């Protein structure tokens, strides 16, 4: 439960922050901030939490855990108000919004702490109330950098409900069984100490429920999308399953070619499989052989598409299964910090994830394969991501991507890994349509850059030859490996 207006005033009165200095700022999570203050030889750690159902401000004696990576708002606050003096700190009316005036290096700042469960925030403004930054960016409320913060209007009306300040007596028995009770009885605990005790006991449950609710919403959205995609793939699979019919129509055209007359747009003949009369559409400008060839090519295309669709269906089903497994893991995870980490990992947009290298990568049986798909990626991989002992693969006399297999000390590249690399080299080249190609391979140290040539062009020496016939099953396996490793 979040603090009510009277509890906020009680906590602030005990904190007595006016005249204190902010020595440091720590942000352990996206919804929690800790101000390390110092006044009259007394240091206090003030925790500000804006998590749903846990909005509060109070002193804490607990150790604040730093986040793995410094968060944006914390770094911003440190640059502006670390070392600042708190001139005053009080609630605006009974609106559950705390206004804090800060002065630092001849500048004045206002920090607003809004402790509303469904719209909480921490906002730092300049002396003109222009927003410098916010803990949570809310464009709908104009709470973004550059906006103007409007203080809530103080109502003259008395609150309809008499908000009582909780005593947390329900914690007394449990507290008295702890070592802390040897130093201080429960009755002697200040309101801030009782708050710290209550939220230490219950914040994990409260925070966990909010995080699970957030993750459930994300899970439902993505599960629905994947299920819809699977349904469309199943429909395509059925359409491609009719490819045999195209081949049969080509056979019928060749069988009854003598019946086709100049200008005919249809061939009407007897289907020897069903003993029924059928009509097959043909191009009057083409010969019977050419028309049959059109149907054979359509058959090959759809047959190939059928295999790819089956692979896509398999991968989509695996994604749905992984998503469901992750959801079950999160539902059974008692630690809210761990849930937040999992949530942050899963919900982060892929375009925001920092790539360590251009192109594609695969880890197969401990071997690391890098693939450049164009001249820019080829050049970048050559310049910054491969070394002399790494192996380079490229199609002979045909433009295409570079494939590298990273060197492993004391290991010789197995044939299967070479075939994986070779298939990738042919697939990401102009030779893909042919279904096969000659390629050469050599160590990177035997490559020499061509003078005045196109970007990424190299001249190999000590190269060896390899002839590759594209293996769709091998490519499907590699694609599945990559998607699983990247969490696509």
């Amino acid at each position: 439960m979040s603090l009510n207006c009277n509890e906020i005033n009680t906590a602030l009165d005990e904190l007595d922050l006016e005249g204190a200095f902010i020595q440091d700022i720590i942000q352990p999570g996206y919804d929690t901030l800790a101000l390390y203050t110092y006044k009259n030889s007394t240091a206090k750690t003030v925790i500000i939490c804006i998590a749903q159902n846990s909005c509060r401000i109070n002193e804490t004696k607990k150790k604040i855990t730093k986040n793995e990576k410094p968060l944006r708002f914390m770094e911003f606050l440190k640059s502006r108000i670390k070392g600042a003096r708190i001139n005053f700190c009080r609630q605006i009316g009974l609106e559950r919004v705390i206004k804090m005036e800060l002065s630092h290096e001849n500048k004045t700042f206002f920090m607003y702490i809004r402790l509303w469960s469904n719209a909480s925030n921490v906002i730092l403004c300049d002396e003109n109330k222009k927003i410098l930054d916010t803990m949570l960016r809310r464009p709908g409320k104009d709470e973004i950098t550059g906006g103007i913060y409007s203080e809530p209007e103080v109502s003259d009306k008395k609150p309809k409900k008499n908000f009582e300040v909780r005593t947390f007596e329900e914690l007394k028995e449990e507290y008295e069984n702890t070592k802390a009770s040897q130093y201080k009885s429960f009755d002697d605990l200040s309101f801030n100490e009782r708050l710290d005790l209550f939220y230490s006991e219950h914040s994990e449950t409260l925070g966990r429920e909010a995080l699970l609710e957030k993750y459930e919403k994300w899970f439902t959205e993505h599960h629905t999308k994947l299920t819809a995609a699977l349904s469309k793939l199943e429909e395509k699979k059925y359409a491609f399953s009719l490819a045999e019919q195209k081949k049969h129509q080509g056979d019928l055209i060749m069988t009854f070619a003598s019946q086709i007359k100049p200008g005919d747009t249809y061939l009407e003949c007897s289907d020897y499989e069903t003993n029924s009369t059928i009509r097959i559409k043909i191009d009057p400008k083409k010969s019977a052989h050419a028309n049959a060839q059109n149907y054979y090519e359509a058959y090959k295309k759809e047959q190939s598409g059928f295999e790819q669709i089956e692979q896509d269906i398999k991968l989509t089903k695996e994604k749905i299964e992984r998503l469901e497994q992750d959801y079950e893991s999160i539902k059974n995870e008692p630690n809210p910090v761990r849930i937040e980490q999992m949530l942050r990992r899963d919900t982060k947009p892929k375009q925001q994830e920092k790539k360590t290298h251009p192109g594609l990568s695969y880890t197969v049986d401990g071997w690391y394969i890098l693939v450049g798909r164009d001249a820019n990626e080829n050049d970048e991989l050559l310049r910054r991501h491969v070394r002399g002992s790494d192996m380079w693969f490229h199609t002979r006399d045909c433009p295409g991507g570079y494939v590298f297999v990273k060197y492993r000390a004391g290991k010789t590249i197995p044939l299967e890994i070479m075939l994986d690399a070779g298939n990738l080299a042919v697939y990401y080249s102009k030779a893909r349509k042919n279904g096969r190609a000659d390629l050469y391979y050599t160590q990177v140290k035997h490559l020499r850059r061509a003078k005045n040539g196109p970007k990424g062009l190299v001249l190999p020496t000590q190269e060896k030859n390899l002839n590759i016939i594209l293996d769709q099953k091998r490519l499907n396996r590699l694609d599945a490996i990559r998607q699983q490793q990247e969490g696509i």
Side-chain angles (χ1 to χ4, degrees):
M1 182 183 293
S2 299
L3 296 187
N4 64 44
C5 53
N6 291 326
E7 289 174 337
I8 290 172
N9 281 337
T10 304
L12 291 177
D13 287 344
E14 286 185 359
L15 285 171
D16 187 25
L17 293 176
E18 293 185 6
F21 289 87
I22 298 175
Q23 291 189 313
D24 201 2
I25 303 163
I26 299 296
Q27 188 178 357
Y30 288 106
D31 55 14
T32 310
L33 197 66
L35 303 181
Y36 290 78
T37 67
Y38 190 81
K39 176 184 176 181
N40 298 332
S41 302
T42 302
K44 291 181 181 179
T45 302
V46 180
I47 194 85
I48 299 167
C49 181
I50 60 172
Q52 188 175 8
N53 299 324
S54 301
C55 295
R56 66 190 188 277
I57 180 170
N58 64 277
E59 182 183 1
T60 182
K61 301 293 184 181
K62 308 296 181 186
K63 183 180 179 181
I64 304 299
T65 305
K66 293 184 179 181
N67 202 53
E68 291 180 4
K69 294 182 180 179
L71 297 178
R72 167 192 59 81
F73 192 57
M74 179 189 77
E75 293 295 287
F76 175 80
L77 290 182
K78 282 188 173 184
S79 70
R80 297 300 181 97
I81 63 169
K82 184 177 177 180
R85 182 183 189 275
I86 302 174
N87 297 326
F88 70 76
C89 177
R90 62 182 70 106
Q91 183 179 186
I92 299 175
L94 296 175
E95 302 302 320
R96 289 178 295 147
V97 178
I98 299 168
K99 182 179 181 180
M100 190 181 290
E101 183 186 275
L102 309 165
S103 58
H104 184 50
E105 296 180 349
N106 299 321
K107 292 182 180 179
T108 300
F109 301 93
F110 291 103
M111 187 158 73
Y112 295 91
I113 305 164
R114 188 171 61 228
L115 301 178
W116 299 352
S117 265
N118 294 319
S120 54
N121 212 347
V122 179
I123 303 162
L124 186 69
C125 303
D126 65 11
E127 57 187 357
N128 299 314
K129 298 182 182 178
K130 181 180 178 181
I131 297 175
L132 301 175
D133 205 351
T134 62
M135 195 166 180
L136 301 178
R137 288 170 176 166
R138 301 182 186 275
K141 292 181 174 291
D142 201 26
E143 291 177 4
I144 54 174
T145 302
I148 301 298
Y149 180 75
S150 298
E151 294 184 7
E153 295 182 4
V154 179
S155 175
D156 295 331
K157 297 179 181 180
K158 291 184 178 180
K160 294 180 180 180
K161 182 179 178 182
N162 183 24
F163 293 100
E164 295 182 354
V165 177
R166 289 170 288 173
T167 60
F168 304 107
E169 289 293 328
E170 68 273 16
L171 303 176
K172 185 173 182 178
E173 183 178 348
E174 187 174 350
Y175 174 78
E176 288 176 347
N177 293 326
T178 66
K179 292 181 179 179
S181 63
Q182 298 174 9
Y183 303 96
K184 203 171 191 179
S185 70
F186 184 83
D187 293 334
D188 292 335
L189 294 178
S190 67
F191 181 67
N192 273 270
E193 288 171 327
R194 296 187 184 198
L195 275 179
D196 196 29
L197 183 63
F198 174 78
Y199 284 107
S200 295
E201 296 291 332
H202 297 279
S203 62
E204 287 196 357
T205 303
L206 295 169
R208 183 176 181 275
E209 290 174 357
L211 287 168
L212 285 177
E213 184 180 341
K214 185 177 180 181
Y215 193 86
E216 184 177 4
K217 183 178 178 182
W218 180 88
F219 166 81
T220 302
E221 179 184 340
H222 282 72
H223 194 273
T224 302
K225 286 181 180 179
L226 284 173
T227 305
L230 181 61
S231 179
K232 288 183 179 180
L233 288 171
E234 296 282 6
E235 290 175 7
K236 284 186 178 181
K237 179 182 176 181
Y238 174 75
F240 283 146
S241 68
L242 303 177
E244 267 317 308
Q245 186 179 349
K246 296 280 177 41
K247 182 177 180 294
H248 182 56
Q249 288 172 325
D251 292 340
L252 288 173
I253 291 173
M254 292 299 292
T255 303
F256 297 98
S258 60
Q259 295 183 20
I260 299 175
K261 298 175 183 178
D264 283 352
T265 56
Y266 287 92
L267 166 65
E268 189 171 305
C269 63
S270 175
D271 186 344
Y272 48 76
E273 286 187 352
T274 62
N275 293 322
S276 61
T277 301
I278 63 170
R279 299 181 76 196
I280 304 172
K281 188 176 181 180
I282 58 176
D283 187 343
K285 297 179 181 179
K286 294 183 177 179
S287 65
H289 181 270
N291 273 292
Q293 205 59 34
N294 284 347
Y295 279 94
Y296 291 144
E297 287 177 4
Y299 160 73
K300 289 180 181 179
K301 185 176 180 180
E302 291 187 8
Q303 186 69 19
S304 174
F306 182 79
E307 293 177 1
Q308 186 60 49
I309 283 291
E310 283 194 317
Q311 174 66 10
D312 291 343
I313 288 173
K314 180 174 177 288
L315 290 176
T316 303
K317 286 181 177 179
E318 288 175 356
K319 288 179 189 177
I320 293 174
E321 186 178 351
R322 286 200 303 271
L323 186 66
E324 291 172 347
Q325 289 173 351
D326 286 348
Y327 183 47
E328 288 302 316
S329 297
I330 282 184
K331 285 199 298 183
N332 296 324
E333 174 58 55
N335 187 350
V337 176
R338 175 64 181 149
I339 293 176
E340 185 181 17
Q341 290 174 347
M342 295 167 78
L343 181 63
R344 202 181 308 164
R345 176 203 68 196
D346 290 342
T347 59
K348 186 175 183 178
K350 294 298 175 186
Q351 60 269 26
Q352 289 184 13
E353 293 184 359
K354 186 177 179 180
K355 289 196 69 173
T356 57
H357 59 78
L360 306 175
S361 62
Y362 308 78
T363 301
V364 186
D365 296 334
W367 292 90
Y368 192 49
I369 303 173
L370 288 169
V371 180
R373 295 163 294 182
D374 56 36
N376 289 327
E377 290 183 353
N378 291 343
D379 187 64
E380 181 68 14
L381 288 173
L382 267 173
R383 287 179 181 276
R384 295 181 174 85
H385 300 279
V386 294
R387 297 290 181 267
S389 297
D390 300 335
M391 196 66 74
W392 170 83
F393 294 76
H394 183 53
T395 48
R396 181 183 288 277
D397 302 324
C398 184
Y402 292 171
V403 177
F404 301 94
V405 177
K406 297 293 287 182
Y407 170 74
R408 293 175 68 186
K411 301 281 187 180
T412 301
I413 302 177
L415 177 60
E416 285 299 311
I417 299 299
M418 293 186 70
L419 291 175
D420 286 345
N423 268 266
L424 290 168
V426 176
Y427 185 80
Y428 289 104
S429 75
K430 297 287 186 181
R432 185 198 303 187
K433 292 182 180 179
N434 301 331
R436 67 184 300 163
D438 290 323
L439 53 87
Y440 37 33
Y441 64 96
T442 189
Q443 288 183 307
V444 171
K445 61 187 175 184
H446 299 312
L447 300 177
R448 180 168 55 85
R449 291 186 178 277
K451 292 182 179 179
N452 303 321
K455 191 173 186 179
L457 181 63
V458 292
L459 301 175
T461 59
Q462 301 188 34
E463 71 273 20
K464 295 180 181 179
N465 297 316
L466 202 60
N467 181 268
I468 292 292
I469 299 175
L470 273 183
D471 182 346
Q472 190 60 49
K473 289 184 179 179
R474 186 180 294 272
L475 290 169
N476 289 343
R477 176 177 58 81
L478 289 168
D479 191 44
I481 289 171
R482 181 180 65 84
Q483 292 202 35
Q484 186 171 6
Q485 289 171 352
E486 294 183 3
I488 299 174

